[in-house]
Amino acid sequence: MLTDVGPVEIAVPRDRDGSFEPKIVKKRQKRLTGVDEMVISLAAKGLTSGEVQAHLAEV
């Protein structure tokens, strides 16, 4: 995955029946944009770095 800060490796789980619909990284997406803005927005709302990390893991 190519991001604003460089390439990032992600692990994609197997989905044999095609029922999983990803939220942040869409299927066959090569470039990821907007994550930096999302993290800054969450931090501006007062979330700690741990809370931001937990939010991203949940999403």
Side-chain angles (χ1 to χ4, degrees):
M1 180 65 49
L2 299 174
T3 67
D4 296 337
V5 294
V8 175
E9 187 172 324
I10 60 172
V12 179
R14 291 191 64 166
D15 184 22
R16 293 178 188 232
D17 61 357
S19 62
F20 179 73
E21 187 60 39
K23 301 289 183 189
I24 295 179
V25 180
K26 303 294 183 200
K27 292 180 180 179
R28 291 175 285 291
Q29 182 178 358
K30 302 269 187 220
R31 216 170 257 287
L32 184 63
T33 59
V35 175
D36 294 339
E37 290 82 10
M38 182 172 37
V39 170
I40 291 170
S41 172
L42 292 170
K45 291 179 181 177
L47 273 69
T48 65
S49 59
E51 291 169 332
V52 170
Q53 182 179 7
H55 176 74
L56 291 175
E58 182 181 315
V59 172

